[in-house]
Each structure stands twice: as C-alpha cells, then as structure tokens.
Amino acid sequence: MTGYEMFWPIIAHVALVYFLYMLLGFRRRKLVQAGKVRRSNYRENRDEPPEGLFVKNCLANQFELPVLFYACCVLLYITQADNLVAVVLAWVFVALRYLHAFVHVTSNNLRYRSPLFAAGYVVLGAMWLWLAVWMVFPNG
C-alpha cells in the first residue's frame, strides 16, 4: 500500500458530486429550452420540475451522510487505522453512493433507493466502529 489508499474513495465521491452538478446544469438548461420552466425560477428555487428536482435533491444528499464519511476517512488516516478493512469499507460506501445516486436521478424509486441508503448508513457505521475499536486497542 502506498499510504494514500484511504483518499481514493474520497476522490471517487467528489467525482460523483461534480458529475451531479453537471447533470443538474444539463437538465435545467434542457428544461428552460423546452419552455417547461423559466430561468428566473431557479433564482428562488420555485417550481422545479421533477427532472431537475431529483438531481437537486440527490446533490444535496451528497453533503449529508458523506460529510461523516470524509471525517471518518481523514481520522482513519491520521490514526493509521486506514488498513485493508477500512479501505474496503470506504470503497463499498462510495459504490453504494453511486448506486443510490443512479436510482435517485433516474427512477427515484424508493423501493430501491431506501435499501441502498440504509446499506451505506450501515457501512459508514462500520467504518466509525472500526475507528473506535482501533483507538481503544491501538496495538491489536
């Protein structure tokens, strides 16, 4: 391991956030061009059609639970608990965020979205538990 493995899942999540910003801009431009909404509506976030609203909500969601993910990753790195277990958990969390985002911006079907969110919640909880156990028993 190079020592930076814990940061690649963070970078992968940041890439998802950037993609969602681009998708939101694309969908909003398309809605304005189609005459479904006026550009001024976005100034005050009024009456956003579902095509844009799903992406907007998904993007907002990337700054909720993932904030705890970023903090945990940095703390895992600082405490040198960023071993294979932690890195695998981080990648699983990010993969679940990608799947959750895909469902959110396509069908937005809660039947699929909710379990993906719950799985990410559990994985992130496992990361924090790993950190806590590592700090309590630093020498194994």
Side-chain angles (χ1 to χ4, degrees), residues 3-71:
Y4 299 119
E5 287 81 8
M6 197 77 243
F7 297 118
W8 288 112
I10 294 173
I11 292 168
H13 184 260
V14 168
L16 172 62
V17 171
Y18 269 81
F19 171 78
L20 290 171
Y21 272 118
M22 289 187 301
L23 180 62
L24 181 60
F26 174 78
R27 286 196 180 175
R28 283 180 169 177
R29 186 172 358 101
K30 192 174 174 181
L31 288 165
V32 168
Q33 289 172 344
K36 292 183 177 181
V37 67
R38 292 189 335 215
R39 181 183 283 167
S40 63
N41 286 31
Y42 296 122
R43 184 179 60 235
E44 299 171 8
N45 288 322
R46 293 182 284 128
D47 305 321
E48 178 133 12
E51 301 95 323
L53 184 61
F54 293 167
V55 179
K56 178 184 166 197
N57 289 343
C58 181
L59 190 54
N61 190 257
Q62 302 310 315
F63 294 98
E64 294 169 355
L65 198 59
V67 171
L68 296 176
F69 169 71
Y70 293 153

Side-chain angles (χ1 to χ4, degrees), residues 36-136:
K36 292 183 177 181
V37 67
R38 292 189 335 215
R39 181 183 283 167
S40 63
N41 286 31
Y42 296 122
R43 184 179 60 235
E44 299 171 8
N45 288 322
R46 293 182 284 128
D47 305 321
E48 178 133 12
E51 301 95 323
L53 184 61
F54 293 167
V55 179
K56 178 184 166 197
N57 289 343
C58 181
L59 190 54
N61 190 257
Q62 302 310 315
F63 294 98
E64 294 169 355
L65 198 59
V67 171
L68 296 176
F69 169 71
Y70 293 153
C72 190
C73 287
V74 170
L75 290 171
L76 286 163
Y77 179 78
I78 290 170
T79 60
Q80 298 179 348
D82 58 334
N83 54 24
L84 184 61
V85 171
V87 172
V88 167
L89 286 171
W91 277 115
V92 170
F93 177 80
V94 170
L96 289 165
R97 295 307 301 169
Y98 269 80
L99 292 170
H100 179 266
F102 177 77
V103 172
H104 208 157
V105 301
T106 56
S107 70
N108 200 24
N109 188 330
L110 288 176
R111 179 179 180 201
Y112 302 112
R113 201 177 99 205
S114 291
L116 290 168
F117 178 85
Y121 174 84
V122 169
V123 169
L124 184 56
M127 288 177 67
W128 280 99
L129 182 61
W130 182 259
L131 174 63
V133 169
W134 187 270
M135 291 189 306
V136 171

